[in-house]
Amino acid sequence: MSDIPTANSQQSATIRVWDLPVRLFHWLLVATILVAFLSSEEDSALAPWHVPAGWVAAVLIAFRLVWGLVGGEHARFANFLKPGQIAHHLRGLFAGKPERSIGHNALGGLAIVALLGTVGGIVYSGATMRGEGGEGLHEALANVLLGLVALHVVAVVAMSLITRDNLIHAFITGRKRAALHPGVPDARPPATLAVPLAAVAIGASTYGALTLDPLAFTPGAHAEAGERGDGAAAKGEHDDD
């Protein structure tokens, strides 16, 4: 008999944890935040993408809020927003014996909410920016987000090493090693109407963004509009002379 493991045996050695939509959301938001930071300076080659990146982040958050109610088992807020477990989780960490979690642990759940809330605040402050005060708030929230992202990455890497449960790999493949979680079944799939409801959320948020800003997803359009506005103002001053 062949000793080469079959596809079925490989599947049985792992359990399904993260559904595909929540994984796509995660990595798309990572890419969007990266683009937003790299495009924040006016002289950046990616500067034309700053505003579109912000609106894409808004659409992604709208999707995640809906998916947090109807998505797969471990993508749902009810599965990981458990403040009562924070103290127990911290005791395990300080004792050097943190428990492995299937989905997000108690602190990870809080981190997700903090990250989503901060990104939402950045989008809102950017869309409603007025004067230096608005710009200052936008930049302050961006710095907070940078700190939260750094903390999140450090925590994920640390927990992966301590528990020997590769969290990054799990959020790529959607699966974890069954041997590390004995007796745990595959995660329950998304609700029947999850995909249609998510599509509605994406469509509605996209429509809302375009209603508020018709140039929301057009790279460089706002800079061009600003230049035309400055040119018109300069022309008006010249005509008045």
Side-chain angles (χ1 to χ4, degrees):
M1 294 181 62
S2 173
D3 292 331
I4 300 176
T6 64
N8 288 336
S9 65
Q10 289 177 339
Q11 287 288 86
S12 65
T14 61
I15 54 174
R16 184 174 62 246
V17 177
W18 303 110
D19 57 58
L20 179 60
V22 79
R23 284 181 282 139
L24 288 175
F25 157 80
H26 179 273
W27 296 113
L28 285 174
L29 186 62
V30 168
T32 300
I33 291 174
L34 180 61
V35 170
F37 271 105
L38 294 178
S39 62
S40 59
E41 299 297 331
E42 293 183 359
D43 58 352
S44 168
L46 292 175
W49 291 90
H50 188 70
V51 173
W55 285 117
V56 169
V59 173
L60 288 172
I61 290 175
F63 160 81
R64 187 64 181 92
L65 292 177
V66 171
W67 205 251
L69 301 176
V70 299
E73 179 179 358
H74 300 296
R76 298 193 180 195
F77 297 127
N79 181 266
F80 59 80
L81 289 183
K82 298 179 179 179
Q85 294 185 3
I86 294 177
H88 174 74
H89 179 67
L90 287 174
R91 282 196 295 269
L93 283 177
F94 292 137
K97 298 179 180 179
E99 295 181 357
R100 295 188 182 100
S101 58
I102 308 301
H104 296 300
N105 60 43
L107 287 180
L110 287 182
I112 298 304
V113 173
L115 286 166
L116 292 177
T118 304
V119 172
I122 292 172
V123 172
Y124 179 79
S125 63
T128 60
M129 188 183 297
R130 296 291 185 276
E132 293 183 1
E135 184 176 353
L137 175 61
H138 189 66
E139 292 181 357
L141 288 173
N143 289 330
V144 170
L145 178 61
L146 190 60
L148 287 174
V149 168
L151 183 61
H152 181 61
V153 171
V154 170
V156 167
V157 173
M159 289 300 294
S160 296
L161 294 174
I162 294 172
T163 63
R164 298 183 180 179
D165 195 2
N166 193 327
L167 303 181
I168 298 175
H169 183 264
F171 237 102
I172 294 174
T173 65
R175 307 185 73 89
K176 289 188 174 185
R177 285 189 292 162
L180 296 178
H181 305 278
V184 176
D186 284 340
R188 292 188 296 274
T192 304
L193 294 177
V195 172
L197 288 174
V200 169
I202 292 172
S205 56
T206 300
Y207 176 79
L210 290 172
T211 299
L212 292 171
D213 181 3
L215 302 175
F217 302 102
T218 305
H222 293 81
E224 294 172 3
E227 290 174 358
R228 287 196 297 270
D230 293 343
K235 182 178 183 301
E237 292 176 359
H238 179 73
D239 291 342
D240 289 339
D241 292 341

